[in-house]
Amino acid sequence: MSHAKFLTRCLQLATYANGRTAPNPMVGAVIVHDGVIIGEGYHQKAGDPHAEVMAINSVEDKSLLASSTLYCSLEPCAHFGKTPPCADLIIKSEIKKVVIGCLDSNVLVAGKGIERLQNAGCEVIVGVLEKECKAHHKRFFTFQTQKRPFIILKWAQTLDAFIAPKKRATQAPVWITKEVSRQLVHKWRSEEQAILVGTTTVLDDNPGLDVRYWNGENPVRIVIDRELKILTSLKVHDGSVKTIFINERNTSVKGAIFFEKINFLKPIAIQICAVLFKHNIQSLIVEGGTKTIQTFIDENLWDEARVFSGEVHFNNGVNAPTLDVIPTNEENIKGDILKTYLND
């Protein structure tokens, strides 16, 4: 096998931990001896051993390590965090060759892991499948370099470009897409660290903002509630998961409920990003209404947009957000059209 094939396996392993490693990156590693994988591992959740440690520990015959090559999707760490430096374990294991997908942008690492390996006599190859590895680590890199979460916008609109009806009979969602699309959205929620909605969405739908249609952890809830008028009887106040209310009145904490004050007379999205960076939120999916989503678009604070078009018409209602970008991908999901946009 080529270096690229082994790095591809690293990326495959890393995705097994989707949504569970934040604020750490999702990393995969394999150990190869004479062209055969003899060990592999991935970082399963924050605080647990890193991918390199898991891979080394999985090798039954440790005497083979000295003549093996370690492949890793991201530069091994060289600092003490919740776990010891991976670079030190690689050196201690006498592994003489390391192939890395891309450098770590974290200032605590940023080349230091490679330098430590090279100083110990390791041959280090960097940049194999670099584009793919950087794309895989996009959440981690955005958080490290831009000091904000990786932001995904998501909404569903009718064929006549409405996101919601003008009026509704009950405090519940009005579905535009089919059940399979809604299940996909819950899968996405399980992969991101937080979800954001605005006041109107909460008052109209009383959403749980959970992953009940998928297997995974519920994301941190971010709610824009300028005047703190959302009743405590609604689901976002149930304390079942960390919830941050963005408001103009106070900053305080009540159990799992956090209140963060911002200035609503100034650009909002950038202030929300600062709050989420403070809370160590690495990725965010914005599922609010048109006003909320458009705020992030207008401030150019978004990385991906995922837009469903369902097979329904409202004839009138709340207009969908306006995004003047050409989609990079389009697929048909049981009649629902999903378009993906990238903010390059």
Side-chain angles (χ1 to χ4, degrees), residues 172-173 175 179 182-183 185-187 189-190 195 205-219 221 235 287:
W175 299 116
E179 186 175 352
R182 299 199 292 272
Q183 185 179 39
V185 170
H186 282 233
K187 177 179 181 293
R189 289 179 181 180
S190 75
I195 180 172
D205 298 347
N206 188 21
L209 305 178
D210 53 26
V211 295
R212 61 191 179 279
Y213 297 146
W214 197 257
N215 181 31
E217 295 186 10
N218 292 325
R221 300 181 294 205
K235 293 176 183 176
E287 289 194 33

mmCIF file of all heavy atoms in Angstrom, residues 172-173 175 179 182-183 185-187 189-190 195 205-219 221 235 287:
data_model
loop_
_atom_site.group_PDB
_atom_site.id
_atom_site.type_symbol
_atom_site.label_atom_id
_atom_site.label_comp_id
_atom_site.label_asym_id
_atom_site.label_seq_id
_atom_site.Cartn_x
_atom_site.Cartn_y
_atom_site.Cartn_z
ATOM 1 N N ALA A 172 -45.645 24.169 17.585
ATOM 2 C CA ALA A 172 -44.961 22.958 17.120
ATOM 3 C C ALA A 172 -44.400 23.218 15.732
ATOM 4 O O ALA A 172 -44.874 24.100 15.019
ATOM 5 C CB ALA A 172 -45.931 21.776 17.090
ATOM 6 N N PRO A 173 -43.360 22.470 15.341
ATOM 7 C CA PRO A 173 -42.772 22.671 14.011
ATOM 8 C C PRO A 173 -43.766 22.365 12.891
ATOM 9 O O PRO A 173 -44.637 21.495 13.018
ATOM 10 C CB PRO A 173 -41.613 21.665 13.989
ATOM 11 C CG PRO A 173 -41.335 21.357 15.425
ATOM 12 C CD PRO A 173 -42.643 21.443 16.111
ATOM 13 N N TRP A 175 -43.469 20.910 9.318
ATOM 14 C CA TRP A 175 -42.432 20.210 8.582
ATOM 15 C C TRP A 175 -42.488 20.512 7.089
ATOM 16 O O TRP A 175 -43.550 20.458 6.466
ATOM 17 C CB TRP A 175 -42.528 18.701 8.809
ATOM 18 C CG TRP A 175 -42.354 18.311 10.241
ATOM 19 C CD1 TRP A 175 -43.275 17.722 11.051
ATOM 20 C CD2 TRP A 175 -41.183 18.508 11.044
ATOM 21 N NE1 TRP A 175 -42.762 17.540 12.304
ATOM 22 C CE2 TRP A 175 -41.479 18.005 12.342
ATOM 23 C CE3 TRP A 175 -39.925 19.058 10.801
ATOM 24 C CZ2 TRP A 175 -40.562 18.032 13.378
ATOM 25 C CZ3 TRP A 175 -39.014 19.081 11.834
ATOM 26 C CH2 TRP A 175 -39.325 18.580 13.104
ATOM 27 N N GLU A 179 -39.267 12.657 6.616
ATOM 28 C CA GLU A 179 -38.682 12.110 7.848
ATOM 29 C C GLU A 179 -37.206 11.746 7.675
ATOM 30 O O GLU A 179 -36.407 11.949 8.588
ATOM 31 C CB GLU A 179 -39.469 10.887 8.295
ATOM 32 C CG GLU A 179 -39.019 10.347 9.642
ATOM 33 C CD GLU A 179 -39.890 9.209 10.139
ATOM 34 O OE1 GLU A 179 -40.930 8.935 9.509
ATOM 35 O OE2 GLU A 179 -39.528 8.590 11.161
ATOM 36 N N ARG A 182 -35.113 14.753 8.113
ATOM 37 C CA ARG A 182 -35.081 15.183 9.517
ATOM 38 C C ARG A 182 -34.140 14.297 10.330
ATOM 39 O O ARG A 182 -33.452 14.762 11.244
ATOM 40 C CB ARG A 182 -36.497 15.172 10.102
ATOM 41 C CG ARG A 182 -37.440 16.121 9.367
ATOM 42 C CD ARG A 182 -38.663 16.445 10.192
ATOM 43 N NE ARG A 182 -39.562 15.325 10.393
ATOM 44 C CZ ARG A 182 -40.544 14.984 9.568
ATOM 45 N NH1 ARG A 182 -40.726 15.687 8.441
ATOM 46 N NH2 ARG A 182 -41.336 13.983 9.843
ATOM 47 N N GLN A 183 -34.099 13.008 9.989
ATOM 48 C CA GLN A 183 -33.158 12.108 10.657
ATOM 49 C C GLN A 183 -31.724 12.497 10.331
ATOM 50 O O GLN A 183 -30.840 12.473 11.205
ATOM 51 C CB GLN A 183 -33.422 10.664 10.241
ATOM 52 C CG GLN A 183 -32.562 9.651 10.993
ATOM 53 C CD GLN A 183 -32.855 8.229 10.589
ATOM 54 O OE1 GLN A 183 -33.086 7.949 9.417
ATOM 55 N NE2 GLN A 183 -32.837 7.313 11.540
ATOM 56 N N VAL A 185 -30.641 15.457 9.699
ATOM 57 C CA VAL A 185 -30.341 16.662 10.477
ATOM 58 C C VAL A 185 -29.944 16.292 11.908
ATOM 59 O O VAL A 185 -29.019 16.876 12.484
ATOM 60 C CB VAL A 185 -31.543 17.625 10.487
ATOM 61 C CG1 VAL A 185 -31.322 18.760 11.492
ATOM 62 C CG2 VAL A 185 -31.757 18.207 9.084
ATOM 63 N N HIS A 186 -30.597 15.291 12.478
ATOM 64 C CA HIS A 186 -30.242 14.867 13.838
ATOM 65 C C HIS A 186 -28.868 14.207 13.851
ATOM 66 O O HIS A 186 -28.134 14.322 14.838
ATOM 67 C CB HIS A 186 -31.314 13.932 14.384
ATOM 68 C CG HIS A 186 -32.538 14.668 14.861
ATOM 69 N ND1 HIS A 186 -33.072 14.499 16.109
ATOM 70 C CD2 HIS A 186 -33.307 15.604 14.244
ATOM 71 C CE1 HIS A 186 -34.119 15.293 16.251
ATOM 72 N NE2 HIS A 186 -34.287 15.966 15.124
ATOM 73 N N LYS A 187 -28.520 13.530 12.775
ATOM 74 C CA LYS A 187 -27.159 12.997 12.648
ATOM 75 C C LYS A 187 -26.159 14.152 12.651
ATOM 76 O O LYS A 187 -25.133 14.095 13.334
ATOM 77 C CB LYS A 187 -27.018 12.183 11.369
ATOM 78 C CG LYS A 187 -25.612 11.648 11.113
ATOM 79 C CD LYS A 187 -25.566 10.830 9.834
ATOM 80 C CE LYS A 187 -24.168 10.267 9.567
ATOM 81 N NZ LYS A 187 -23.192 11.325 9.268
ATOM 82 N N ARG A 189 -26.552 17.077 13.973
ATOM 83 C CA ARG A 189 -26.495 17.647 15.323
ATOM 84 C C ARG A 189 -25.548 16.849 16.220
ATOM 85 O O ARG A 189 -24.827 17.415 17.038
ATOM 86 C CB ARG A 189 -27.895 17.647 15.945
ATOM 87 C CG ARG A 189 -28.868 18.644 15.342
ATOM 88 C CD ARG A 189 -30.229 18.519 16.033
ATOM 89 N NE ARG A 189 -31.211 19.448 15.479
ATOM 90 C CZ ARG A 189 -32.467 19.536 15.912
ATOM 91 N NH1 ARG A 189 -32.878 18.753 16.907
ATOM 92 N NH2 ARG A 189 -33.303 20.397 15.353
ATOM 93 N N SER A 190 -25.560 15.525 16.053
ATOM 94 C CA SER A 190 -24.702 14.673 16.880
ATOM 95 C C SER A 190 -23.225 14.881 16.560
ATOM 96 O O SER A 190 -22.363 14.524 17.369
ATOM 97 C CB SER A 190 -25.073 13.202 16.691
ATOM 98 O OG SER A 190 -24.611 12.700 15.447
ATOM 99 N N ILE A 195 -25.691 23.873 18.952
ATOM 100 C CA ILE A 195 -26.750 24.234 18.017
ATOM 101 C C ILE A 195 -27.326 25.573 18.451
ATOM 102 O O ILE A 195 -27.473 25.827 19.660
ATOM 103 C CB ILE A 195 -27.835 23.140 17.975
ATOM 104 C CG1 ILE A 195 -28.952 23.518 16.993
ATOM 105 C CG2 ILE A 195 -28.415 22.862 19.356
ATOM 106 C CD1 ILE A 195 -29.954 22.394 16.771
ATOM 107 N N ASP A 205 -41.921 26.892 18.030
ATOM 108 C CA ASP A 205 -41.789 25.435 17.917
ATOM 109 C C ASP A 205 -41.583 24.706 19.246
ATOM 110 O O ASP A 205 -41.785 23.500 19.315
ATOM 111 C CB ASP A 205 -40.611 25.086 16.998
ATOM 112 C CG ASP A 205 -40.793 25.608 15.586
ATOM 113 O OD1 ASP A 205 -41.913 26.014 15.238
ATOM 114 O OD2 ASP A 205 -39.803 25.608 14.826
ATOM 115 N N ASN A 206 -41.126 25.416 20.280
ATOM 116 C CA ASN A 206 -40.735 24.781 21.547
ATOM 117 C C ASN A 206 -39.843 23.564 21.280
ATOM 118 O O ASN A 206 -40.143 22.439 21.704
ATOM 119 C CB ASN A 206 -41.960 24.356 22.356
ATOM 120 C CG ASN A 206 -41.587 23.885 23.760
ATOM 121 O OD1 ASN A 206 -40.520 24.217 24.282
ATOM 122 N ND2 ASN A 206 -42.456 23.085 24.367
ATOM 123 N N PRO A 207 -38.708 23.763 20.594
ATOM 124 C CA PRO A 207 -37.852 22.627 20.205
ATOM 125 C C PRO A 207 -37.006 22.108 21.359
ATOM 126 O O PRO A 207 -36.635 22.851 22.271
ATOM 127 C CB PRO A 207 -36.961 23.243 19.120
ATOM 128 C CG PRO A 207 -36.817 24.681 19.550
ATOM 129 C CD PRO A 207 -38.157 25.049 20.146
ATOM 130 N N GLY A 208 -36.683 20.810 21.295
ATOM 131 C CA GLY A 208 -35.769 20.229 22.270
ATOM 132 C C GLY A 208 -34.318 20.369 21.840
ATOM 133 O O GLY A 208 -33.405 20.286 22.657
ATOM 134 N N LEU A 209 -34.091 20.577 20.535
ATOM 135 C CA LEU A 209 -32.747 20.744 19.961
ATOM 136 C C LEU A 209 -31.849 19.566 20.320
ATOM 137 O O LEU A 209 -30.680 19.732 20.663
ATOM 138 C CB LEU A 209 -32.117 22.070 20.428
ATOM 139 C CG LEU A 209 -32.956 23.331 20.156
ATOM 140 C CD1 LEU A 209 -32.270 24.568 20.706
ATOM 141 C CD2 LEU A 209 -33.243 23.500 18.663
ATOM 142 N N ASP A 210 -32.414 18.367 20.220
ATOM 143 C CA ASP A 210 -31.702 17.165 20.611
ATOM 144 C C ASP A 210 -31.442 16.251 19.415
ATOM 145 O O ASP A 210 -31.625 16.663 18.266
ATOM 146 C CB ASP A 210 -32.492 16.415 21.688
ATOM 147 C CG ASP A 210 -33.944 16.155 21.260
ATOM 148 O OD1 ASP A 210 -34.209 16.087 20.041
ATOM 149 O OD2 ASP A 210 -34.807 16.026 22.157
ATOM 150 N N VAL A 211 -31.008 15.019 19.685
ATOM 151 C CA VAL A 211 -30.697 14.060 18.623
ATOM 152 C C VAL A 211 -31.578 12.812 18.767
ATOM 153 O O VAL A 211 -31.126 11.695 18.596
ATOM 154 C CB VAL A 211 -29.204 13.673 18.632
ATOM 155 C CG1 VAL A 211 -28.342 14.875 18.304
ATOM 156 C CG2 VAL A 211 -28.788 13.080 19.981
ATOM 157 N N ARG A 212 -32.851 13.024 19.068
ATOM 158 C CA ARG A 212 -33.753 11.901 19.359
ATOM 159 C C ARG A 212 -33.951 10.957 18.171
ATOM 160 O O ARG A 212 -34.355 9.817 18.353
ATOM 161 C CB ARG A 212 -35.110 12.414 19.835
ATOM 162 C CG ARG A 212 -35.853 13.288 18.820
ATOM 163 C CD ARG A 212 -37.046 13.979 19.475
ATOM 164 N NE ARG A 212 -37.769 14.831 18.540
ATOM 165 C CZ ARG A 212 -37.387 16.063 18.209
ATOM 166 N NH1 ARG A 212 -36.287 16.572 18.746
ATOM 167 N NH2 ARG A 212 -38.090 16.787 17.344
ATOM 168 N N TYR A 213 -33.665 11.416 16.942
ATOM 169 C CA TYR A 213 -33.787 10.545 15.768
ATOM 170 C C TYR A 213 -32.456 9.894 15.390
ATOM 171 O O TYR A 213 -32.335 9.301 14.323
ATOM 172 C CB TYR A 213 -34.314 11.333 14.564
ATOM 173 C CG TYR A 213 -35.704 11.902 14.743
ATOM 174 C CD1 TYR A 213 -36.047 13.121 14.157
ATOM 175 C CD2 TYR A 213 -36.668 11.238 15.492
ATOM 176 C CE1 TYR A 213 -37.317 13.654 14.315
ATOM 177 C CE2 TYR A 213 -37.936 11.772 15.658
ATOM 178 C CZ TYR A 213 -38.253 12.982 15.065
ATOM 179 O OH TYR A 213 -39.509 13.513 15.223
ATOM 180 N N TRP A 214 -31.446 10.056 16.272
ATOM 181 C CA TRP A 214 -30.120 9.515 15.962
ATOM 182 C C TRP A 214 -29.453 9.096 17.268
ATOM 183 O O TRP A 214 -29.888 9.507 18.354
ATOM 184 C CB TRP A 214 -29.258 10.556 15.233
ATOM 185 C CG TRP A 214 -28.066 9.967 14.538
ATOM 186 C CD1 TRP A 214 -26.776 10.003 14.965
ATOM 187 C CD2 TRP A 214 -28.069 9.239 13.323
ATOM 188 N NE1 TRP A 214 -25.966 9.356 14.072
ATOM 189 C CE2 TRP A 214 -26.728 8.863 13.040
ATOM 190 C CE3 TRP A 214 -29.054 8.855 12.417
ATOM 191 C CZ2 TRP A 214 -26.366 8.136 11.923
ATOM 192 C CZ3 TRP A 214 -28.693 8.134 11.292
ATOM 193 C CH2 TRP A 214 -27.366 7.778 11.047
ATOM 194 N N ASN A 215 -28.388 8.332 17.165
ATOM 195 C CA ASN A 215 -27.652 7.895 18.344
ATOM 196 C C ASN A 215 -26.441 8.795 18.537
ATOM 197 O O ASN A 215 -25.544 8.841 17.704
ATOM 198 C CB ASN A 215 -27.193 6.434 18.177
ATOM 199 C CG ASN A 215 -26.448 5.923 19.399
ATOM 200 O OD1 ASN A 215 -26.740 6.355 20.510
ATOM 201 N ND2 ASN A 215 -25.503 5.030 19.190
ATOM 202 N N GLY A 216 -26.399 9.517 19.639
ATOM 203 C CA GLY A 216 -25.280 10.418 19.899
ATOM 204 C C GLY A 216 -25.606 11.345 21.049
ATOM 205 O O GLY A 216 -26.688 11.285 21.649
ATOM 206 N N GLU A 217 -24.658 12.221 21.367
ATOM 207 C CA GLU A 217 -24.861 13.166 22.455
ATOM 208 C C GLU A 217 -25.601 14.405 21.966
ATOM 209 O O GLU A 217 -25.373 14.882 20.855
ATOM 210 C CB GLU A 217 -23.518 13.565 23.062
ATOM 211 C CG GLU A 217 -22.781 12.418 23.753
ATOM 212 C CD GLU A 217 -21.534 12.886 24.459
ATOM 213 O OE1 GLU A 217 -21.329 14.121 24.577
ATOM 214 O OE2 GLU A 217 -20.746 12.030 24.895
ATOM 215 N N ASN A 218 -26.476 14.926 22.812
ATOM 216 C CA ASN A 218 -27.173 16.165 22.470
ATOM 217 C C ASN A 218 -26.191 17.333 22.488
ATOM 218 O O ASN A 218 -25.341 17.419 23.378
ATOM 219 C CB ASN A 218 -28.300 16.444 23.465
ATOM 220 C CG ASN A 218 -29.427 15.437 23.361
ATOM 221 O OD1 ASN A 218 -29.741 14.963 22.276
ATOM 222 N ND2 ASN A 218 -30.038 15.110 24.486
ATOM 223 N N PRO A 219 -26.287 18.229 21.517
ATOM 224 C CA PRO A 219 -25.362 19.369 21.485
ATOM 225 C C PRO A 219 -25.690 20.413 22.548
ATOM 226 O O PRO A 219 -26.812 20.457 23.079
ATOM 227 C CB PRO A 219 -25.595 19.948 20.076
ATOM 228 C CG PRO A 219 -27.010 19.580 19.755
ATOM 229 C CD PRO A 219 -27.230 18.232 20.383
ATOM 230 N N ARG A 221 -26.908 23.844 23.712
ATOM 231 C CA ARG A 221 -27.934 24.696 23.095
ATOM 232 C C ARG A 221 -27.556 26.167 23.261
ATOM 233 O O ARG A 221 -27.257 26.610 24.375
ATOM 234 C CB ARG A 221 -29.296 24.425 23.726
ATOM 235 C CG ARG A 221 -29.754 22.989 23.550
ATOM 236 C CD ARG A 221 -31.130 22.725 24.162
ATOM 237 N NE ARG A 221 -31.144 22.852 25.601
ATOM 238 C CZ ARG A 221 -32.025 22.227 26.392
ATOM 239 N NH1 ARG A 221 -32.944 21.433 25.856
ATOM 240 N NH2 ARG A 221 -31.994 22.390 27.703
ATOM 241 N N LYS A 235 -38.817 23.867 26.676
ATOM 242 C CA LYS A 235 -37.810 22.806 26.738
ATOM 243 C C LYS A 235 -36.380 23.316 26.880
ATOM 244 O O LYS A 235 -35.551 22.666 27.517
ATOM 245 C CB LYS A 235 -37.924 21.921 25.488
ATOM 246 C CG LYS A 235 -39.217 21.127 25.412
ATOM 247 C CD LYS A 235 -39.304 20.350 24.111
ATOM 248 C CE LYS A 235 -40.620 19.604 24.000
ATOM 249 N NZ LYS A 235 -40.756 18.907 22.688
ATOM 250 N N GLU A 287 -29.602 26.674 13.305
ATOM 251 C CA GLU A 287 -30.880 26.205 12.777
ATOM 252 C C GLU A 287 -31.996 27.197 13.051
ATOM 253 O O GLU A 287 -33.179 26.850 13.050
ATOM 254 C CB GLU A 287 -31.242 24.846 13.382
ATOM 255 C CG GLU A 287 -30.393 23.686 12.907
ATOM 256 C CD GLU A 287 -31.006 22.340 13.277
ATOM 257 O OE1 GLU A 287 -32.242 22.228 13.315
ATOM 258 O OE2 GLU A 287 -30.232 21.408 13.530
#
